[in-house]
Amino acid sequence: MSLCETPSQLSQSPDLPKSPEGDPVFPEPWAAEVFAITVHLHEKGVFTWSEWAAALSTALHRPGRAEDGSDYFDCWVEALSDLLVSHGVADASAILDLQKSWQRAAEATPHGHPIELANDPLL
């Protein structure tokens, strides 16, 4: 098994959707990207496995979650954002501003076209 094929501890995250073969399953490309970013940051030592597990567990157990678990990767993003803020890697207001910018870009992007931050009409 090569280094790239070595499973990360993050692939064992609580309730991570998996295929019958045990591989992570992502509902959208952005979910795979945030998974990869999280793995990279963990491997670089930005946060420990126990910190990640606690942050994700907190997000997964917040009231108001989707009963069908369809918001799993939204919880993942919330947990990652919380860790980045608590470790001083990112600023909460900057994350919120970027999130709003992506939302505006998505709303301004014609159906069938890729969503790009450059599509934000306020940029």
Side-chain angles (χ1 to χ4, degrees), residues 38-117:
T38 305
V39 169
H40 177 76
L41 292 170
H42 168 65
E43 289 174 348
K44 292 295 182 187
V46 174
F47 49 83
T48 66
W49 166 249
S50 59
E51 288 173 318
W52 169 252
L56 182 58
S57 180
T58 297
L60 291 173
H61 290 94
R62 287 208 202 290
R65 290 252 352 257
E67 289 183 24
D68 64 359
S70 60
D71 61 348
Y72 179 82
F73 283 102
D74 293 324
C75 293
W76 187 287
V77 170
E78 177 185 331
L80 180 59
S81 297
D82 289 348
L83 276 176
L84 294 177
V85 169
S86 71
H87 284 273
V89 175
D91 178 73
S93 63
I95 291 173
L96 182 58
D97 289 346
L98 190 55
Q99 189 177 21
K100 289 177 181 178
S101 185
W102 276 109
Q103 185 61 43
R104 288 188 302 268
E107 292 168 359
T109 301
H111 181 74
H113 293 258
I115 299 170
E116 298 174 354
L117 200 52

